[in-house]
Structures are given as structure tokens and as C-alpha cells.
Amino acid sequence: MKDNQAKYPQLRFKGFTDPWDQRKLGKMGYTFTGLSGKTKEDFGHGNAKFVTYMNVFSSPVSNSEIVENVEVDSKQHQVEYGDVFFTTSSETPQEVGMSSVWLETAENIYLNSFCFGYHPMVEFDPYYLAFMLRSPVIRKKFMLLAQGISRYNISKNKVMEMLVPVPEIVEQQKIGSFFKQLDDTITLHQRKLAKLKELKQGYLQKLFPKNGSKFPQLRFAGFADDWEQRKLSDIATLNARIGWQNLRTSEFLESGDYMLITGTNFHDGTVDYSTVHYVEKNRYEQDTKIQVENGSILITKDGTLGKVALVQGLNMPATLNAGVFNVKIKDPETIDVDYVYQYLAAPFLMKYANAKSTGGTIKHLNQNILIDFPVLLPRKREQVKLAELLNGLDNTITLHQRKLEKLQELKKGYLQKMFC
């Protein structure tokens, strides 16, 4: 009964009911090796190309542009349309045997020496093959083949013994086309997201004065006043939990009335309240200076330095653990908190933090360094306009990020259910 169930995927297109064959890869094609007999001097020039390891590792369908130069060599095996490439080793068993299908017809294209190739001798829809080999059911089989301790390897002979699902070609084409369209949509959203992030970086370069200037390169109409430079400590208070008050992990609670925020709880400028821990009331009340409220700006001081978040939507008392500064604007009437957040979240602080940090492997951003961080300030009305523009971009970026994540989760679910 169990073997019979394994021949039917959980989710299918309408009109397909036949069981899927389970066939060995080695019975349907042959393997070939990547580049051999080469030295370092042979690469980086020549009229031939080779498909890189990262090209194979990164995507179920190889990118024809991610190739590198090598001299033409008749002794090497030229790859063909529909060939499958497999990585032979990795640092983890989860990443060994990653596959990618080549869908180009150009000549003098070889495979890198850290992968092996597979040429199907039976009819496969190439996109079906690409996504089937990346499906969870097949990836689990590759992980079981991984051998090693510090680095894991697979035997191509063992891979050729692997059983894979082979439906009729018409069903393969339906499945392959479906995943290709889904991947194309994901790629489109990735490009939109990358362009939005580039747009914001461009604005950050032009909306703030550079190299001691008092005027930015790009400005809203109606603003002409000089900008002034102030120290962060002039416009805000900075506080962090001192050593003797540091909390032990045993004091972290899974629920409670007093939230504990750490640097691991925020990313992309926001605090993820679903990941926080809680503390007892006495720990919350221990230091009022690190009690967090809406409008607080948080900056990491240890490990990943200069990571910034603006506290919003907080609906309960909250405090900080070690490793995070609590920054509060002194005079909200003249200084806009959203502007200061955007300025601190820009690359200026990260560059400053990395240059001024102390410590060996684990870096620290001391308070006596951060208080001198220079903040460029226009008048309040211009601060608000700048913050509105950058906040709007952030909201659009977040929206596209969420759409992309939903599509990636959707793909993950389909890969789980559409192969057996």
C-alpha cells in the first residue's frame, strides 16, 4: 500500500490519474565529468566558457550569463541542451548534490571541475526535470547519500541508482510550465525589489550633504537654508543596560506583562514582537532609562554593529537586554524622530560604527564613541518631508518583500505536494 501511494503525487493537474513510474537515473542517461587537467593559469581567458559551481548551486535552471572563460579544449566534454549538472560536495549534507539544468545550445561550453554532468537519453521536459530534482522528496534522497565529516561528498554512481518520479511527458510539460511561470514571477518581484532598494540608496546619496557641505545634491522645492551638523548626544539620550544588570538566559520568559527586546528581535528597521521574550516586573523596573516606548530608536552595540530599528506599534511595557542602545529624541518639537531614524539607518552610521568599534572577533560600539556620531540636520519641516519620502519607500519595499516571501512559500508548498 505504501509503495502504491508513493507513485501518486498529493496534488495534480485535472485530467491526470495514471500512476507515476519510479525509475533509476542511470537507466535513463549517462554521466560525464567537468573540466579536468587544468591549472590556475588556464582560466580567465580563451574563447570557450565553463559553467561555474555557484551557477549550478544557485538555481534549478542554469544562468547562461554566469560562465567564465577558458581556452577551447577538444578533450573536454561540451555540455548540451537538457544536460543536468550536480554539485559533488558541500559543507553541509543539506546542500550536497544541488542540481541545475542547462537550456542553451552554444558550442564550447564546459562544466566546472567541482560538478559532474548527466545527459538524459529518454524524453524529459527540461523544466520538469529541473524542479523535480530540487523537490523535497528528491533532496532528502541526496542528503542520505552525503558522506563526510567536515565536508560532505556524493558518489555519482550512487546518484545514478536513485529512483526519481517519471510521469507521462504531457504531465511533465504541465508541471514544468507551471513552475517556470512561478519562478519567472518570483524573479520579476526580486528585480522590482532590487530596483527599489537601489532607488533608496540613490536617494540616500543625494538627499544628504556630503564632504562637509551644508547643502544636499537633491532637495525639495522651497528649501534653501543651510544644514547644521550636531552630535547625536546633542539631540538624543543614549542608554544601554550596564554590566551588573545583564540578564541571564534563565530569566527569559516565554510570556508575561513586560517585554524584553534584544538585537536579534529587529531587522529591516522594525521590531518583530512575535520573537521577543519577557521578564519579571522587577527586572523591567530596574532601569527606567532603558525602558522602551513608541518612538524609541534602537541601535545594536555588540556583534552586528549599528543595526537600527524604530519602535512602533508597541502595546505593553518593554525593556532592553544588553547589546542595544535606547535612543530617545530630547526635543521632538524641533527634531523629527522619523528623520533621525532614517539618518541612523542610512549607511553613515554603519561606516562610522565599523571604523570606531573596538574588540577582536566580536566588535563593540562604545557609548563614548556613539555620542559623537555627527548628524546632519535641516529645519524641522524639511526633516519631515525627507522622512515621509524615505518612509514611503520603505513601506513599498516591505510590501514587495512580503509579496516575494509569499511567492517563495507558495513555491515551496507546491514542490512539496506536486512530486512523489
Side-chain angles (χ1 to χ4, degrees):
M1 184 69 174
K2 185 176 180 181
D3 291 342
N4 190 45
Q5 287 176 338
K7 295 179 181 178
Y8 296 87
Q10 186 178 345
L11 186 64
R12 292 181 91 168
F13 287 101
K14 188 176 180 180
F16 296 100
T17 57
D18 292 337
W20 287 14
D21 289 337
Q22 299 284 324
R23 301 179 62 184
K24 289 183 179 181
L25 283 171
K27 297 293 185 181
M28 299 183 290
Y30 62 85
T31 62
F32 58 88
T33 59
L35 286 167
S36 61
K38 298 292 179 185
T39 65
K40 188 184 297 183
E41 288 71 28
D42 294 319
F43 296 98
H45 52 83
N47 295 321
K49 307 281 186 182
F50 70 92
V51 184
T52 67
Y53 177 95
M54 284 308 300
N55 191 351
V56 177
F57 181 87
S58 302
S59 176
V61 176
S62 300
N63 186 335
S64 61
E65 296 181 0
I66 306 180
V67 291
E68 294 182 8
N69 289 88
V70 69
E71 293 290 348
V72 175
D73 185 349
S74 60
K75 298 176 184 176
Q76 307 298 328
H77 183 98
Q78 293 191 40
V79 303
E80 301 178 31
Y81 180 96
D83 282 349
V84 186
F85 311 138
F86 295 97
T87 61
T88 55
S89 66
S90 180
E91 293 180 356
T92 67
Q94 290 80 12
E95 294 181 344
V96 76
M98 300 299 286
S99 59
S100 190
V101 175
W102 181 253
L103 298 179
E104 300 294 326
T105 56
E107 294 184 351
N108 295 320
I109 307 292
Y110 313 129
L111 179 60
N112 72 83
S113 56
F114 300 101
C115 296
F116 72 88
Y118 172 75
H119 183 79
M121 296 294 287
V122 301
E123 185 180 18
F124 267 113
D125 177 80
Y127 287 102
Y128 169 83
L129 190 58
F131 293 104
M132 177 268 288
L133 290 171
R134 289 273 185 144
S135 67
V137 66
I138 301 301
R139 288 302 310 148
K140 287 178 183 176
K141 292 183 178 183
F142 274 100
M143 282 184 265
L144 291 173
L145 293 181
Q147 295 180 330
I149 300 174
S150 60
R151 190 161 186 88
Y152 294 85
N153 302 280
I154 55 168
S155 159
K156 64 180 178 181
N157 292 331
K158 292 283 184 67
V159 173
M160 289 301 101
E161 291 293 312
M162 185 184 295
L163 289 169
V164 298
V166 185
E168 294 295 326
I169 190 64
V170 177
E171 190 170 7
Q172 287 187 35
Q173 290 166 347
K174 290 280 284 187
I175 295 169
S177 176
F178 172 79
F179 277 104
K180 180 184 182 302
Q181 290 178 21
L182 186 54
D183 247 22
D184 288 346
T185 305
I186 288 172
T187 299
L188 181 63
H189 277 74
Q190 287 172 329
R191 287 173 181 166
K192 284 182 179 179
L193 184 62
K195 286 182 179 179
L196 283 167
K197 289 181 177 179
E198 286 176 13
L199 180 63
K200 183 178 179 185
Q201 289 305 310
Y203 275 131
L204 290 174
Q205 290 295 319
K206 296 181 179 181
L207 288 171
F208 300 100
K210 291 190 295 185
N211 302 322
S213 173
K214 296 181 179 180
F215 304 95
Q217 184 179 345
L218 185 64
R219 207 163 188 186
F220 290 101
F223 297 100
D225 293 334
D226 292 3
W227 287 37
E228 65 173 327
Q229 180 174 298
R230 305 276 295 278
K231 292 180 180 179
L232 182 57
S233 57
D234 291 337
I235 64 172
T237 60
L238 292 83
N239 293 284
R241 185 176 288 275
I242 58 178
W244 65 270
Q245 291 180 335
N246 284 349
L247 300 175
R248 299 181 297 274
T249 305
S250 60
E251 294 182 272
F252 293 6
L253 307 177
E254 292 302 315
S255 62
D257 297 322
Y258 301 92
M259 189 180 290
L260 176 69
I261 298 174
T262 72
T264 59
N265 300 133
F266 59 87
H267 52 86
D268 295 330
T270 60
V271 179
D272 182 358
Y273 298 117
S274 68
T275 64
V276 300
H277 287 89
Y278 300 83
V279 290
E280 297 288 356
K281 182 179 180 181
N282 68 310
R283 275 305 209 177
Y284 167 75
E285 293 178 339
Q286 195 168 52
D287 188 350
T288 58
K289 292 179 181 179
I290 58 169
Q291 290 174 2
V292 176
E293 58 192 35
N294 287 316
S296 291
I297 300 172
L298 309 181
I299 303 175
T300 53
K301 62 190 284 288
D302 297 315
T304 304
L305 304 181
K307 192 168 66 166
V308 182
L310 177 62
V311 178
Q312 301 176 88
L314 184 66
N315 58 8
M316 66 186 303
T319 187
L320 296 173
N321 200 22
V324 183
F325 285 115
N326 186 21
V327 180
K328 294 184 180 180
I329 301 302
K330 292 178 179 178
D331 183 12
E333 293 298 317
T334 59
I335 306 292
D336 182 67
V337 64
D338 287 314
Y339 171 82
V340 176
Y341 158 70
Q342 287 291 351
Y343 193 86
L344 292 173
F348 320 122
L349 178 61
M350 290 296 289
K351 291 178 182 178
Y352 181 88
N354 288 322
K356 300 286 187 178
S357 62
T358 61
T361 305
I362 300 175
K363 296 291 186 179
H364 306 280
L365 182 60
N366 296 326
Q367 187 163 339
N368 61 350
I369 292 175
L370 188 59
I371 59 175
D372 291 330
F373 175 67
V375 179
L376 293 169
L377 292 169
R379 297 289 181 88
K380 174 74 178 287
R381 197 162 59 90
E382 191 171 2
Q383 291 176 34
V384 172
K385 291 282 286 184
L386 284 164
E388 286 175 347
L389 171 65
L390 295 173
N391 285 343
L393 267 174
D394 282 346
N395 292 336
T396 305
I397 288 170
T398 299
L399 181 64
H400 278 76
Q401 183 72 52
R402 287 174 181 166
K403 285 182 178 178
L404 177 60
E405 288 169 358
K406 285 182 179 179
L407 283 167
Q408 289 170 332
E409 283 299 312
L410 188 66
K411 178 184 174 182
K412 185 177 179 181
Y414 280 129
L415 284 171
Q416 184 76 44
K417 295 179 179 180
M418 293 182 70
F419 297 97
C420 60

